[in-house]
Amino acid sequence: MAGYKPVAIQAYPVLGEKITQDTLYWNNYKTPVQIKEFGAVSKVDFSPQPPYNYAVTASSRIHIYGRYSQEPIKTFSRFKDTAYCATFRQDGRLLVAGSEDGGIQLFDISGRAPLRQFEGHTKAVHTVDFTADKYHVVSGADDYTVKLWDIPNSKEILTFKEHSDYVRCGCASKLNPDLFVTGSYDHTVKMFDARTNQSVISVEHGQPVESVLLFPSGGLLVSAGGRYVKVWDMLKGGQLLVSLKNHHKTVTCLCLSSSGQRLLSGSLDRKVKVYSTTSYKVVHSFDYAASILSLALAHEDETIVVGMTNGILSVKHRKSEAKKDSLPRRRRPAYRTFIKGKNYMKQQDDILINRPSKKHLELYDRDLKNFRISKALDRVLEPSCAIKTPEITVSIIKELNRRGVLANALAGRDEKEISRVLNFLIRYISTCDWSVTCS
């Protein structure tokens, strides 16, 4: 038996996530910090200017957080009812928000009392945004109307009544101060032009629209509603480019990376999907503990903040690059020093002396060598082996079957031991590589 040959453990390819540049990039975040808010987090918005604080809208309050603070550095609570959609102006100095009672309030970041109040909507205002010239605010409400407001005079300039259901989302163009987009529960997305007093483009999403996003160039529009995320070419009059259906529940929020090359969507299925804006394929995915209502990325994607229905705010910060040691390190022997002579070829007058290498058998190989077949099978059915390294268990079963002693190894077992065998078979019978063995 000195020539016993150990059982060859067959290696199987491990099915898992393919490591790509996107995987490395989006996994390079620290463990998330969780902050408890007073209610469901309906909106998160980062300031476009340093120090890149972010506003969190939850219940009847708006909290301003520093990028690395776990406590709010400022709170706006002058709301009679639920607040919605707190949004920073492009210079980061002003903040505008809607509310359940139909009012719109404009705040100075350095103060607490509202600078302006806009009254005109008769129902809850769920979307507000600043136009590109910084002097106007566009709003959409549950009274089916879209309004344009003048900030210096606190007056209503225009009212659009083209929607036939709740207006729940919207955004303004970053280039043209007269263009803005709204999405409604009437399944339509409309682009309005303040110069024509009417919509210039209208597209049919097919589901109640929960979120819209206009690319910085203004050429592409993204709408989200139901399980669908759709991309429209606005330069071609609202032509549908692609329809994505990667979520299992309603998509609630959209976000664009700093480079503009990645689109993020959050959903009630507790997942955030990352798409390439060239191929529109999912390149990464995040999992969260609860349904997602809001999503925002900081400057250079340094921080990703997600608001959930259970009032939890999840904040992930990007890992900092490891700093190189300033002190010179002592040089160690190179790798070639340790392998020197490994590939030396024997010369004619050399005498070669081989040092026999002792091979240690695994415990299951020792049992097989000594014909303890039941003991070998018991050993590989232990949870430490059957769960962590099931390929070893499969290889031993195959070896016993090849020897024709598998039935003998299974004979004489009690109910507990048989259940262990059955549990292993049930666990792995659906695995393609092992289905023949398990069956």
Side-chain angles (χ1 to χ4, degrees), residues 22 215 256-263 274-278 283:
D22 280 287
F215 272 59
L256 203 61
S257 67
S258 298
S259 65
Q261 297 179 354
R262 296 293 179 264
L263 173 68
V274 183
Y275 307 88
S276 167
T277 53
T278 54
V283 296

Side-chain angles (χ1 to χ4, degrees), residues 26 41-46 55 211 213 247 251-257 263-267 271-275 286 288 292-298 303-308 313-314:
W26 294 106
V41 182
S42 59
K43 174 73 173 181
V44 180
D45 188 56
F46 272 94
S211 181
L213 174 68
H247 287 283
V251 183
T252 56
C253 50
L254 297 169
C255 180
L256 203 61
S257 67
L263 173 68
L264 285 76
S265 64
S267 168
K271 294 183 182 296
V272 171
K273 302 283 186 181
V274 183
Y275 307 88
F286 296 99
Y288 287 88
I292 297 167
L293 289 180
S294 52
L295 166 69
L297 277 172
T303 308
I304 179 170
V305 181
V306 170
M308 291 173 270
L313 193 68
S314 175

Side-chain angles (χ1 to χ4, degrees), residues 145-201:
T145 64
V146 178
K147 293 180 182 290
L148 185 66
W149 308 85
D150 182 62
I151 293 178
N153 298 324
S154 301
K155 291 184 178 180
E156 175 186 323
I157 301 175
L158 291 171
T159 299
F160 302 92
K161 299 181 179 181
E162 297 188 24
H163 285 294
S164 58
D165 208 333
Y166 299 155
V167 181
R168 288 294 176 91
C169 56
C171 62
S173 170
K174 303 300 181 185
L175 300 177
N176 192 324
D178 296 311
L179 296 179
F180 46 90
V181 177
T182 57
S184 169
Y185 276 14
D186 62 6
H187 301 189
T188 64
V189 179
K190 295 181 182 292
M191 173 175 279
F192 295 96
D193 190 337
R195 296 165 294 188
T196 62
N197 297 336
Q198 63 182 2
S199 64
V200 291
I201 297 176

Side-chain angles (χ1 to χ4, degrees), residues 9 82 98 164 188 284 304 397 430:
I9 305 301
T82 307
S164 58
T188 64
H284 194 68
I304 179 170
I397 293 175
S430 60

Side-chain angles (χ1 to χ4, degrees), residues 74 121 141 150 174 176 203 205 207 215 257 275 299 397 405 433 438:
K74 184 179 284 291
H121 286 292
D150 182 62
K174 303 300 181 185
N176 192 324
V203 296
H205 181 82
Q207 300 284 337
F215 272 59
S257 67
Y275 307 88
H299 178 69
I397 293 175
V405 295
D433 296 326
C438 294

